[in-house]
Amino acid sequence: MKLTIQTPFGFSEAGKSGNNEDAIYPNVGTAQPESRLFIVCDGIGGAHKGKAASQIVCNAFKEYFTEINPPKKKKAGPLYINEALRYAERKMQQHLQEFPDKHGMRSSVALIYFGDNNQVTIAWAGTARGYHIREKKILYKTEDHLVTLRERGENTVIPRAISGLDPVWASATIIDKAEPGDYFLLTTQGVSETFDERNLKYLLSQGDGTDDTNEAIAEKMKELCGQNSRSDSTMYLIQAGQKKAVSTTSANNKKNNAGKEVKETLATTGAGGVTTPTKETTDKTAIVVDKTPKSTTRKTIQVGKISRNPKDSSGIPDSGSPGKAILAALLILLLVGAALAYKYTTSKPEDIFLGHVEKGNLSLQKRDYTNAIAAFQDALAVKMEDTSAFTNVRQKLRNAKEQMLIQQGDRMFRDEKWVQARNKYREVLGINAQNGPIRQKIDYIGNMLGNLKLNLLTKADSLLKLEKFDDAKRFLYEALYIDQKNEDILALINDCNSKLEKTEVTLDLAVQQAIRFDSLGYQEPKQVLEVDPPPVTETPTEVAQNTSKPKPDEKPLAPPLESPTYTKPTVTTPVKPKAPSKYDKLISEGDAALGNGDFSTAKAKFKAALTIEGSKDLETKIAKCESELDKKAYNKMIKAADRAYDNKEYDEAKKYYELALSHQSDDNYAKKRIREAANKISSAEKQDLEYNQLLSEADQAFRKGNYATAKSKYQKALQYTSNTTSINKKIAECNRAISQMEGGSSRKKIKRAEKLCKSKNYNGECYAHLKENNMLYSMDAKLLYRIGQALETRDAAKAKECFTISASKNYSPAKEKIK
């Protein structure tokens, strides 16, 4: 049955600043039960930048889902979401190119998409949130994306957001078990500040599945956000539902009753029809730890009251007797003691939480990331009213996961398990997309695997020409292991199978076979390895021997007496020379490879032998191979780094020097070169900044008609670039404009200028005439300089223009004095 939704309700309101930097889709009041996509975006960067960022991201995701590449029947999973994110980043890059002053704008995003296959996708990047709530239980909640920056010796945690400059990674989850009545919620920071999980569960527990109530809940949330939050507040509330067929009469009755109930609710609870979660109400719905011991029905003990019956209903003698008074006192003391004991032996949720966090921190210090992750997850599972400390724990959990994956990837990298290492490093980027060293390792592995695949395919092609199909298959499988989606390699494998009269394999089966490849050789899919049967020793049936072990208190039996018995004659067969064992063969092949300097093959052979039988000698040989491989890799990285450095490709050089350090961490040469490359990069970035600043100022002066100023700026910019063609064109345009202005002055205007500016009367009227008639460039440089001096105290901008034009004519007061 297709999943439907009720009418969605949302709002988007400005915070205390009065400028709403959030964006929402569909626009408030336009969403319908037929709508499938809902988006909220939280802009960052101020009113000028934040609003633009959130609107660009919101529109980009909407366009990708509805126009560029609609999901239709395919899943809107992590891959699809991040393709949409790349589209949004390109849109932001285009905007920044047109409006450079908006550098620094960023935006978070959260969205919900209801697919045609009853799957609900919740995706997000940054701190905008999504929820899936059912019957007072939060079944799913997104986890904020945060980045830790190290500034002035302190860690600062900021939201990770879409900027168009640095790529980010979006997270996504697919919910395929949504039920009618489930709530889906999208929020930005203002809503998250106002409502914690307890408040949300309480508010949504008042829903009855009708649009009127859902609208009242949304209005109440809007009201409380306006009262309590400083940040902008944006929200979409969507409830899943199945429309049920009802009779016309009952439907009309329900409609009338619903309207009446809503009016009564509004009258008693205020606007919105939802009671605000006060301390008294939330205590009834929140999950708390009950610290009082549970007991059955308690009987009241009355002390000091004289009963006329010899026994009361409990069967205890008259309460006026001394025995009962003592017994009552003892019972009271016992109950008080039990309560105190329970109090001091029951841990508070806060203590449990802190215990898990401390355990996780200790495990992190020991680099025991598995136990650290488990401890932080246990801490987050503790039910507490104040969850403000959870953000820090979530960050520690992410760091532990990231470090564990890096540790695993580095181990595989050292063992030359390139494909596995690359996959682990990709998982790291899924947690922290800003990890530069990991990106470099992935690039390095990708280049190396690409070259290796090319070599393997070349060898396979040579063997195919020689019709050595079995040997060619081996290289083809190794190439498929590197590129596991390559249909062309699969086709070549099946061509070999056809020539060898073997069954064709599917891509999945071929990949499984490729994954099983190791240094021991090649195995056909689903082939059963032959194992020699154990030798059978023939024993005469006439001789019975007791093979059971003696019991502890029992003496061992004496060996049987020798007696003449019939023995079956044995047939002697010639013994075949014993073939070398698999272990010996591996050792021999490893030693041969080691002698030839093929350390990768030698290491693989020795490690394979080590799985059969442990040996310190083998471990020593493996360590030697690893050391030689590290030296070889180090020399290769240093050579590539030096080449890049000499070519002034400092980014590339720095990357290779860092990779060299991963093989020899104590190498001072690589460390020194990394510092030098970093300085070169910093200097180049500074020059780029100055160059761009000069061009911007020159273009601005040119547009305003200040051609001398523009020409001066363009000439300075020439010092920062080797590509002078475009700048020289600009300078030529400035010269043409100046020439036109100088040549456009008529004789009459010149006489008027001489009259106004004679006798050193360099007042404002003189400058105004020159400026109005485009005569500033045609006047004598010395006269222009004096006009600038006269205007310097009255109008600095006009004075500066005169000085600039005068300087462009190579006039200098210092030269004048020398003359």
Side-chain angles (χ1 to χ4, degrees):
M1 186 177 294
K2 186 175 180 180
L3 182 69
T4 61
I5 61 173
Q6 303 286 99
T7 301
F9 294 98
F11 60 82
S12 184
E13 297 293 322
K16 301 299 182 184
S17 67
N19 297 312
N20 188 359
E21 300 175 40
D22 290 354
I24 188 171
Y25 175 82
N27 292 332
V28 176
T30 63
Q32 300 296 326
E34 294 77 21
S35 303
R36 314 312 292 168
L37 176 65
F38 302 88
I39 308 171
V40 298
C41 293
D42 194 342
I44 304 170
H48 179 55
K49 300 178 181 179
K51 184 61 180 177
S54 64
Q55 201 62 56
I56 291 169
V57 172
C58 188
N59 289 339
F61 272 91
K62 186 262 291 185
E63 288 174 5
Y64 195 84
F65 268 81
T66 60
E67 301 172 17
I68 306 298
N69 185 20
K72 296 183 179 178
K73 294 186 178 180
K74 61 186 176 184
K75 288 185 179 179
L79 182 60
Y80 178 87
I81 294 298
N82 281 281
E83 288 173 353
L85 177 57
R86 299 287 87 80
Y87 176 74
E89 288 177 335
R90 289 195 295 272
K91 285 292 185 181
M92 291 193 76
Q93 290 168 1
Q94 294 171 5
H95 189 79
L96 289 173
Q97 289 174 357
E98 295 180 17
F99 304 96
D101 59 319
K102 290 187 180 178
H103 273 273
M105 68 176 185
R106 298 184 298 151
S107 177
S108 296
V109 63
L111 66 86
I112 292 175
Y113 176 73
F114 293 86
D116 293 336
N117 48 6
N118 284 359
Q119 291 181 333
V120 183
T121 298
I122 300 179
W124 75 102
T127 54
R129 294 181 182 177
Y131 296 84
H132 176 205
I133 303 173
R134 178 187 299 159
E135 296 178 354
K136 298 184 182 179
K137 292 182 180 179
I138 296 179
L139 302 183
Y140 185 81
K141 172 189 171 185
T142 59
E143 192 173 86
D144 293 346
H145 293 168
L146 303 171
V147 178
T148 302
L149 300 178
R150 186 75 175 174
E151 295 179 349
R152 299 178 182 177
E154 296 183 354
N155 289 335
T156 304
V157 179
I158 64 171
R160 181 187 300 163
I162 306 168
S163 65
L165 300 176
D166 299 320
V168 298
W169 187 262
S171 299
T173 188
I174 296 178
I175 298 170
D176 54 6
K177 294 184 179 179
E179 297 180 0
D182 287 3
Y183 278 105
F184 293 91
L185 181 68
L186 293 174
T187 65
T188 60
Q189 186 176 352
V191 182
S192 303
E193 288 177 357
T194 306
F195 299 94
D196 58 16
E197 294 184 9
R198 181 185 58 169
N199 301 136
L200 289 176
K201 290 187 290 186
Y202 172 78
L203 275 171
L204 298 184
S205 69
Q206 300 182 51
D208 58 4
T210 64
D211 290 345
D212 291 334
T213 305
N214 290 339
E215 184 179 13
I217 292 173
E219 287 297 324
K220 177 57 70 174
M221 294 179 72
K222 175 180 174 182
E223 176 188 340
L224 293 176
C225 287
Q227 295 172 356
N228 300 291
S229 176
R230 297 185 58 83
S231 304
D232 303 332
S233 303
T234 299
M235 181 276 291
Y236 245 123
L237 180 68
I238 312 108
Q239 186 177 28
Q242 298 281 359
K243 294 186 178 180
K244 299 180 180 179
V246 294
S247 64
T248 307
T249 305
S250 61
N252 291 333
N253 291 337
K254 287 186 177 181
K255 183 176 180 180
N256 295 332
N257 292 336
K260 182 179 179 182
E261 290 172 3
V262 169
K263 290 179 180 179
E264 292 174 353
T265 306
L266 292 172
T268 56
T269 61
V274 180
T275 57
T276 305
T278 61
K279 186 178 187 306
E280 180 181 354
T281 56
T282 52
D283 286 346
K284 294 179 181 179
T285 58
I287 301 174
V288 297
V289 179
D290 187 3
K291 297 183 180 179
T292 58
K294 297 180 180 179
S295 62
T296 57
T297 55
R298 188 180 303 168
K299 296 180 180 180
T300 304
I301 301 173
Q302 298 177 347
V303 181
K305 181 179 178 181
I306 301 175
S307 175
R308 297 189 178 275
N309 297 323
K311 292 184 178 183
D312 61 9
S313 60
S314 62
I316 299 176
D318 185 276
S319 61
S321 65
K324 184 168 182 180
I326 295 171
L327 180 60
L330 288 173
L331 287 172
I332 291 172
L333 289 173
L334 182 62
L335 289 172
V336 171
L340 290 173
Y342 188 85
K343 176 180 179 181
Y344 289 105
T345 57
T346 303
S347 298
K348 296 180 179 179
E350 291 79 4
D351 296 336
I352 297 173
F353 172 78
L354 292 174
H356 289 315
V357 173
E358 184 178 359
K359 181 180 177 182
N361 289 335
L362 291 174
S363 297
L364 273 183
Q365 293 175 5
K366 298 176 183 178
R367 297 186 178 181
D368 183 3
Y369 301 117
T370 302
N371 287 329
I373 291 169
F376 292 138
Q377 287 175 339
D378 291 341
L380 293 173
V382 176
K383 302 295 184 181
M384 297 197 306
E385 293 185 5
D386 183 7
T387 59
S388 57
F390 279 20
T391 301
N392 188 33
V393 176
R394 290 192 188 98
Q395 182 61 38
K396 290 183 176 182
L397 177 60
R398 279 191 291 272
N399 290 340
K401 289 180 179 179
E402 180 182 2
Q403 293 303 318
M404 182 182 72
L405 290 170
I406 292 174
Q407 187 183 65
Q408 294 171 351
D410 288 344
R411 189 182 303 116
M412 294 170 180
F413 189 94
R414 289 192 297 270
D415 291 342
E416 298 181 5
K417 297 178 179 178
W418 308 117
V419 177
Q420 296 96 316
R422 181 183 61 185
N423 293 340
K424 286 295 178 184
Y425 290 146
R426 284 175 175 173
E427 291 184 49
V428 173
L429 293 184
I431 297 174
N432 180 10
Q434 311 300 324
N435 196 320
I438 293 300
R439 284 190 177 278
Q440 293 171 0
K441 287 190 176 182
I442 291 175
D443 293 341
Y444 169 73
I445 292 174
N447 293 333
M448 188 180 61
L449 288 178
N451 294 331
L452 178 59
K453 184 181 78 171
L454 183 61
N455 291 336
L456 290 168
L457 292 175
T458 303
K459 292 178 181 179
D461 184 59
S462 300
L463 291 168
L464 287 172
K465 291 177 181 178
L466 298 173
E467 296 186 355
K468 295 183 179 181
F469 303 112
D470 205 20
D471 293 334
K473 273 177 63 178
R474 176 186 178 85
F475 291 110
L476 290 172
Y477 269 117
E478 290 181 3
L480 185 64
Y481 178 63
I482 296 172
D483 188 357
Q484 298 181 6
K485 295 182 179 180
N486 197 313
E487 296 280 356
D488 294 333
I489 298 176
L490 175 67
L492 291 173
I493 291 173
N494 282 324
D495 285 344
C496 292
N497 286 332
S498 176
K499 298 292 185 181
L500 296 169
E501 296 182 354
K502 294 185 178 181
T503 307
E504 290 190 358
V505 293
T506 63
L507 182 60
D508 290 339
L509 190 60
V511 170
Q512 291 174 15
Q513 172 61 28
I515 291 172
R516 290 203 298 270
F517 253 90
D518 58 20
S519 62
L520 299 182
Y522 167 82
Q523 288 180 314
E524 282 290 341
K526 300 184 179 179
Q527 178 180 352
V528 180
L529 295 176
E530 295 183 359
V531 180
D532 294 333
V536 179
T537 304
E538 294 188 4
T539 304
T541 56
E542 291 83 355
V543 179
Q545 297 183 1
N546 187 353
T547 59
S548 61
K549 294 182 180 180
K551 297 179 181 179
D553 299 332
E554 184 179 53
K555 294 181 180 180
L557 295 175
L561 296 174
E562 294 182 2
S563 58
T565 56
Y566 169 78
T567 58
K568 183 178 180 180
T570 58
V571 179
T572 59
T573 57
V575 180
K576 295 180 179 179
K578 185 178 180 181
S581 67
K582 188 177 184 179
Y583 176 81
D584 294 334
K585 185 179 179 181
L586 288 169
I587 296 294
S588 176
E589 292 173 349
D591 288 336
L594 186 62
N596 294 329
D598 187 358
F599 302 111
S600 296
T601 302
K603 177 185 172 183
K605 299 292 183 182
F606 292 143
K607 292 192 77 172
L610 194 63
T611 61
I612 300 173
E613 182 180 335
S615 167
K616 289 186 178 180
D617 183 50
L618 277 178
E619 292 176 355
T620 303
K621 289 182 178 181
I622 292 171
K624 180 180 179 181
C625 292
E626 290 177 343
S627 176
E628 293 296 333
L629 287 170
D630 276 337
K631 289 180 183 177
K632 186 177 179 181
Y634 167 81
N635 291 330
K636 184 178 179 180
M637 293 300 104
I638 288 294
K639 186 177 180 181
D642 287 341
R643 189 186 308 114
Y645 193 94
D646 293 339
N647 293 333
K648 297 183 180 181
E649 298 172 355
Y650 300 114
D651 285 313
E652 193 76 5
K654 184 171 177 285
K655 177 182 73 174
Y656 282 116
Y657 285 130
E658 289 173 344
L659 287 172
L661 276 181
S662 68
H663 295 285
Q664 289 190 17
S665 58
D666 57 347
D667 182 61
N668 292 325
Y669 175 75
K671 292 179 181 178
K672 177 185 175 183
R673 283 294 211 172
I674 288 172
R675 291 194 296 270
E676 291 174 354
N679 291 335
K680 294 286 187 181
I681 293 169
S682 177
S683 176
E685 290 176 349
K686 184 179 179 181
Q687 290 182 359
D688 287 343
L689 186 63
E690 292 175 355
Y691 172 73
N692 292 329
Q693 182 69 22
L694 284 170
L695 284 184
S696 176
E697 292 174 355
D699 290 340
Q700 188 175 6
F702 188 90
R703 287 192 296 269
K704 291 182 178 179
N706 298 329
Y707 302 113
T709 303
K711 178 181 176 181
S712 175
K713 297 287 185 182
Y714 286 133
Q715 288 174 335
K716 289 181 181 179
L718 284 173
Q719 303 172 10
Y720 294 94
T721 181
S722 58
N723 184 16
T724 60
T725 304
S726 60
I727 298 180
N728 284 328
K729 287 182 180 179
K730 289 285 189 180
I731 293 174
E733 291 179 14
C734 291
N735 289 331
R736 281 196 298 271
I738 292 172
S739 298
Q740 290 174 1
M741 294 176 70
E742 289 176 345
S745 302
S746 64
R747 186 65 186 164
K748 186 176 181 181
K749 292 178 181 178
I750 292 174
K751 287 184 177 180
R752 172 69 174 164
E754 290 175 349
K755 183 177 180 180
L756 288 173
C757 301
K758 71 178 181 178
S759 303
K760 299 182 182 179
N761 182 24
Y762 309 125
N763 54 22
E765 189 177 359
C766 172
Y767 172 85
H769 177 76
L770 295 175
K771 181 71 175 178
E772 182 181 354
N773 293 282
N774 295 325
M775 297 176 64
L776 286 172
Y777 290 93
S778 60
M779 293 301 294
D780 179 67
K782 182 177 179 181
L783 180 62
L784 276 176
Y785 186 84
R786 290 175 180 173
I787 294 172
Q789 285 180 317
L791 293 172
E792 196 167 12
T793 57
R794 289 178 288 171
D795 195 327
K798 294 177 181 178
K800 184 179 179 181
E801 185 178 10
C802 292
F803 290 146
T804 302
I805 298 174
S806 177
S808 70
K809 295 174 177 286
N810 296 322
Y811 175 77
S812 171
K815 293 180 180 179
E816 189 72 20
K817 289 181 180 179
I818 293 173
K819 291 180 180 179

